[in-house]
Amino acid sequence: MTAAQTLHCQQILLPEGWASDVAVTIDGNGIITAIEAGAARSAASASTAGPVVPALHNLHSHAFQRAMAGLAEVAGSTDDSFWTWRDMMYRLVGRMSPDDIEATAAKLYSELLKGGFGHIVEFHYFHHALGGVRYENPAETSLRILRAAQTTGIGLTHLPVFYAHAGFGATAPGEGQKPFIHSVDEFLTLLEALHPETAAAGAKLGLAIHSLRAATPDEMRAVLAAEKTGGPIHIHVAEQEREVEDCLAWSSRRPVEFLLDEIPVDSRWCAIHATHMTAGETQQLARSGAVAGLCPATEANLGDGIFPVTDFMSHGGAIGIGTDSHVATTVSEELRLLEYGQRLRDRRRNRIASGAGASVGRTLFDAALKGGAQAAGLETMGIRVGARADLVVLDGNNPFIGTASGDQILGRWLFALGNEAVRDVMAAGRWVVRDGRHEREEEIDRAFREVLRKLA
Ligand code: NGQ
Ligand code: ZN
């Protein structure tokens, strides 16, 4: 609980557009209770140091992978791929303890807040110790994720992941995958145990199926029939061409085609990556109501390919952004790369724009806000009455930001600056980032440094 407060914002991005001289009132629970236009500065308890935009939702994260970010950029052979990276990932971070996972997640979440994210959707599959050895509490590592979110103040949608096999046709998991594996019953027990825990932590609960590789259709149906989260459902799908080939060999259908045929995919769903689709699949996925969960920096880093954003959006498809393996941790980097991928493919400019005269930055930002909130299972989003006060204050002292108005502000931040444009971040009514520093940065760094020393 914090005290109720009223913030005066000289420029602010509201759901209906940019507005000036707006007073935002936030109650002691961090919920916006009033938004008043034409307000005088003197009526507010504080004023912001620059333009205010809503914090975005980060719809895809494997927090523990932040510990190895930047360390896999060494050639193993001339044929390094997603699959060789994955082996390296199992090796480098597969032996992390619950303490290590919590410290790494806290570091990551503090960085994400500084990058302009106010909410994280954690796709959590690291359930057990090395070799698949069970912890005394089956929810141990999930609880560490909840704690890390509370430490940093970021909003959380927790998605425990069902993972059972190495590949199509229920092949046995490799040694490196054993810390991720559940039977259907074990998984449902975990979900059940997490209902009260997530509620107590103020987090949302949903679930994920790791991929069509990791779960059989029967297992997926059993999990979906029994789960009672009411939250979002995420799945990795068609990220790599080899997954498409393997899926075709196994089922004579492509992954997205198979998923949409076999499972009732709707707006509760988020298809992570969905990189490799035919035009027909793109249209069908858009029409299903599912969000496409795009992670542009990781997709570039892993050599995945380019998602058909322009096509997908032209069919009404919803998109959101995630930072996945966390080689990038900022809103600006992800949105910029998302647009640049389309430009590099088309050899044209300004691809993701809602029409002539539309700002690319604004189109990207609005789309990621809407799709991100949907994929996080939140009913409300943006700066409006009833929503959580998750606000980003851009730096009015920065000459680029201070002289810009309206959508130019997003253009400057997303295409020409980066985190130096982000000054203060409020999460649920609390200033967790001030002047580019997280309020608990020192203790978070101390614990994280220990993890890195141990893993080295
Ligand atoms: C993951 N990551 O689960 O962490 C995956 C790699 C897999 C990304 N796809 C492992 N970026 O898909 O099997
Ligand atoms: Zn992922």
Side-chain angles (χ1 to χ4, degrees):
M1 282 277 283
T2 50
Q5 53 188 318
T6 298
L7 266 185
H8 179 266
C9 312
Q10 221 239 307
Q11 286 191 83
I12 184 167
L13 183 57
L14 298 175
E16 52 279 9
W18 286 97
S20 320
D21 289 314
V22 171
V24 178
T25 304
I26 300 155
D27 72 11
N29 295 313
I31 303 297
I32 298 171
T33 53
I35 296 175
E36 200 195 322
R41 160 72 190 92
S42 54
S45 46
S47 64
T48 59
V52 179
V53 298
L56 289 190
H57 313 81
N58 183 328
L59 58 63
H60 193 64
S61 165
H62 311 294
F64 70 98
Q65 290 176 11
R66 180 62 177 152
M68 66 170 284
L71 297 186
E73 314 306 311
V74 179
S77 79
T78 50
D79 202 26
D80 284 352
S81 68
F82 173 92
W83 308 100
T84 59
W85 169 84
R86 193 176 71 159
D87 287 339
M88 198 177 234
M89 185 263 284
Y90 295 161
R91 243 188 357 261
L92 289 176
V93 284
R95 62 199 156 92
M96 286 171 80
S97 69
D99 282 348
D100 299 339
I101 292 172
E102 181 179 342
T104 302
K107 175 61 180 170
L108 170 71
Y109 296 165
S110 71
E111 292 179 286
L112 295 176
L113 285 160
K114 296 199 287 184
F117 291 107
H119 192 103
I120 182 74
V121 183
E122 184 66 35
F123 192 108
H124 179 70
Y125 62 81
F126 199 166
H127 305 292
H128 320 299
L130 212 57
V133 175
R134 272 36 181 176
Y135 294 112
E136 198 177 305
N137 181 351
E140 181 68 42
T141 61
S142 280
L143 297 182
R144 300 313 191 100
I145 294 294
L146 301 189
R147 275 244 290 275
Q150 287 182 296
T151 298
T152 58
I154 202 165
L156 173 69
T157 298
H158 186 56
L159 308 180
V161 178
F162 178 73
Y163 196 134
H165 312 287
F168 293 103
T171 54
E175 194 58 31
Q177 295 167 323
K178 288 186 178 165
F180 318 148
I181 304 300
H182 279 133
S183 66
V184 169
D185 285 347
E186 272 183 310
F187 181 70
L188 291 172
T189 305
L190 171 67
L191 273 188
E192 211 45 56
L194 282 170
H195 277 268
E197 302 283 2
T198 43
K204 266 204 94 75
L205 182 65
L207 73 151
I209 307 285
H210 181 274
S211 54
L212 295 174
R213 289 174 274 129
T216 65
D218 282 347
E219 286 164 343
M220 286 178 66
R221 281 189 272 267
V223 165
L224 296 171
E227 67 86 20
K228 299 187 204 71
T229 66
I233 307 167
H234 290 211
I235 186 168
H236 289 126
V237 66
E239 179 180 7
Q240 280 280 319
E241 280 173 319
R242 194 177 106 187
E243 178 179 319
V244 178
E245 289 157 17
D246 290 354
C247 190
L248 277 166
W250 167 71
S251 70
S252 305
R253 282 176 282 175
R254 302 168 57 85
V256 171
E257 178 187 16
F258 187 92
L259 178 68
L260 294 173
D261 274 2
E262 295 292 329
I263 304 290
V265 171
D266 59 17
S267 58
R268 268 184 86 185
W269 284 73
C270 180
I272 303 298
H273 310 303
T275 316
H276 300 285
M277 297 190 287
T278 61
E281 287 176 305
T282 305
Q283 183 168 351
Q284 254 192 296
L285 183 65
R287 293 194 176 156
S288 72
V291 177
L294 309 176
C295 308
T298 293
E299 289 158 9
N301 184 277
L302 298 179
D304 289 340
I306 298 172
F307 179 89
V309 184
T310 44
D311 244 31
F312 187 71
M313 287 178 75
S314 76
H315 295 300
I319 61 152
I321 51 164
T323 55
D324 194 348
S325 69
H326 315 297
V327 283
T329 55
T330 70
V331 165
S332 53
E333 201 165 343
E334 296 296 348
L335 289 181
R336 186 184 308 171
L337 270 173
L338 187 62
E339 165 68 15
Y340 283 177
Q342 308 293 296
R343 291 189 194 188
L344 288 164
R345 180 198 60 200
D346 297 344
R347 304 180 193 183
R348 290 284 184 282
R349 301 193 68 253
N350 301 334
R351 307 318 287 157
I352 306 173
S354 47
S359 150
V360 176
R362 177 69 183 282
T363 309
L364 286 164
F365 196 84
D366 285 352
L369 178 64
K370 187 156 178 274
Q374 182 184 325
L378 302 175
E379 294 81 40
T380 181
M381 56 162 168
I383 304 173
R384 62 174 92 222
V385 171
R388 218 177 89 125
D390 293 340
L391 311 176
V392 173
V393 180
L394 298 169
D395 187 5
N397 284 331
N398 181 304
F400 294 102
I401 299 295
T403 58
S405 67
D407 291 341
Q408 287 179 341
I409 294 166
L410 293 172
R412 293 291 205 188
W413 172 30
L414 301 176
F415 287 97
L417 300 168
N419 265 12
E420 69 267 40
V422 177
R423 183 176 169 131
D424 305 316
V425 179
M426 174 180 274
R430 202 172 89 221
W431 292 112
V432 292
V433 174
R434 281 277 198 195
D435 262 331
R437 274 188 79 77
H438 188 273
E439 58 175 357
R440 298 175 75 170
E441 191 143 329
E442 266 168 52
E443 71 179 271
I444 288 170
D445 276 2
R446 208 175 310 124
F448 183 56
R449 226 177 250 119
E450 282 308 305
V451 176
L452 295 187
R453 285 211 185 94
K454 211 173 104 185
L455 293 178

